Amino acid sequence: MAHDHHDNELDPMEVRLRALETVLTRKGLIDPQAIDAIIDTYEHRVGPRNGARVVARAWTEPDFADWLARDATAAIAAMGYTGRQGEHMRAVFNTPEAHNLVVCTLCSCYPWPVLGLPPGWYKAPAYRSRAVMAPREVLAEFGLTLPEETELRVWDSTAELRYLVVPMRPEGTAGWSAQALADLVSRDAMIGTARARVPA
Amino acid sequence: MTLPETPAPEASFEAPWQAQAFAIVIALHRRGLFTWAEWTEALGAELAAADARADGADYHVRWVTALERVLAARGVTAPDEITELAEAWARAARATPHGMPIALANDPGTP
């Protein structure tokens, strides 16, 4: 039988955040409702589906792909995906000769408007250091083995510039709609730790 | 016909306080309290600490420490002030009957 608590014991980090929110609200620096709105946005409104739509459009519209290659910030903004950590975007395209991988060695810079918030492993020191020093090993751990002759380009995100990997369009998808193609594009494929899914 | 949804990505936040800490940084940056480059530098310094965990399990705790350092550097609030308020919140929580909303006003104070 569970012990019946009549009081509430809050986790130390939970009370710390309550304290931070209290002091910042008292000083007029934050508004608790705005905080809730920000959380809602990042938990529900942005995510890798946005990036998948960008990739699928690049696969189906050569003009858009050119624009994305030239000015990713503008091309992505034109699809309505703007906001924090998306101000300066660069799209890097995988080809049969070269594979791209994105990391943030400093902390966890990541293109939120197109990918949402980063997964835990992206923020972990293990990935942040090894993606640069031993990228092929890292990819192999993700189950992605590249041919020896494939060049591997590792892009280090910064506060100023963030990257979106455009994976190669899988074989056997000729004539597919952009909507159907977007379902083949996973978050990891846009970080570079996976390929686009091959249709069954 | 609806296409199968891609599997939901793993949750970005494992606890509400992590989401709260994230949102506070966004809100303070929007207000112009610091530039994003200043923030990533502060966060990067925390994450580079010698005792940082290789699996990143302490990422969100370090995010909060970085935030507190930036607030102290900007003269907004010192960690001591936050600790005092955190203790008040903890006392308030213990004094609040289960099922009732926890309010700071419920803090009975130190004996």
Side-chain angles (χ1 to χ4, degrees):
Chain A
M1 198 181 100
H3 182 72
D4 189 14
H5 278 282
H6 287 287
D7 52 6
N8 299 297
E9 197 65 49
L10 294 178
D11 168 279
M13 288 310 294
E14 212 174 317
V15 287
R16 193 112 201 132
L17 263 296
R18 280 185 187 240
L20 270 165
E21 192 168 285
T22 304
V23 68
L24 294 171
T25 303
R26 280 180 184 166
K27 289 176 195 278
L29 289 167
I30 58 168
D31 164 9
Q33 279 184 330
I35 296 296
D36 290 343
I38 292 168
I39 294 171
D40 180 63
T41 297
Y42 286 98
E43 286 200 318
H44 305 293
R45 291 174 212 278
V46 301
R49 301 284 296 164
N50 294 357
R53 289 189 191 101
V54 172
V55 170
R57 189 167 170 198
W59 284 347
T60 50
E61 295 177 34
D63 286 351
F64 182 79
D66 287 347
W67 189 16
L68 188 64
R70 248 188 0 260
D71 186 352
T73 311
I76 291 168
M79 291 185 71
Y81 309 137
T82 57
R84 289 245 23 89
Q85 297 250 29
E87 297 91 339
H88 301 287
M89 291 290 309
R90 178 163 172 196
V92 288
F93 292 69
N94 288 349
T95 65
E97 293 77 35
H99 183 89
N100 295 283
L101 178 67
V102 180
V103 64
C104 172
T105 56
L106 174 69
C107 51
S108 48
C109 296
Y110 193 73
W112 296 343
V114 280
L115 293 188
L117 298 177
W121 55 260
Y122 185 87
K123 302 179 286 190
Y127 177 77
R128 286 166 31 225
S129 57
R130 293 177 61 242
V132 173
M133 293 186 299
R136 277 176 202 274
E137 267 174 46
V138 169
L139 289 183
E141 284 160 25
F142 277 93
L144 177 57
T145 311
L146 294 176
E148 272 303 307
E149 62 275 17
T150 303
E151 185 197 340
L152 187 48
R153 295 180 187 148
V154 182
W155 302 93
D156 193 357
S157 312
T158 65
E160 283 80 33
L161 187 58
R162 291 166 206 89
Y163 299 91
L164 178 73
V165 174
V166 180
M168 281 190 290
R169 180 170 171 167
E171 303 278 330
T173 57
W176 283 40
S177 69
Q179 201 193 342
L181 286 167
D183 282 338
L184 302 175
V185 185
S186 67
R187 174 196 68 202
D188 289 8
M190 293 179 281
I191 301 175
T193 54
R195 292 190 177 94
R197 274 187 286 275
V198 176
Chain B
M1 187 192 112
T2 50
L3 287 157
E5 278 292 305
T6 44
E10 62 225 68
S12 296
F13 304 117
E14 282 138 26
W17 66 264
Q18 298 177 352
Q20 226 177 336
F22 168 80
I24 286 174
V25 169
I26 307 291
L28 292 175
H29 169 258
R30 268 188 203 162
R31 259 194 88 91
L33 199 68
F34 41 76
T35 67
W36 201 254
E38 284 166 336
W39 168 249
T40 56
E41 198 179 313
L43 177 62
E46 270 308 308
L47 296 175
D51 57 348
R53 291 183 45 169
D55 62 0
D58 53 355
Y59 177 85
H60 292 278
V61 174
R62 288 183 184 275
W63 177 285
V64 174
T65 311
L67 169 59
E68 290 186 14
R69 290 222 168 141
V70 169
L71 291 175
R74 291 282 181 286
V76 173
T77 179
D80 284 357
E81 187 184 0
I82 302 166
T83 301
E84 271 173 38
L85 255 177
E87 284 165 1
W89 267 111
R91 287 191 302 268
R94 278 183 228 115
T96 305
H98 192 71
M100 300 290 285
I102 299 166
L104 191 54
N106 298 350
D107 172 22
T110 42

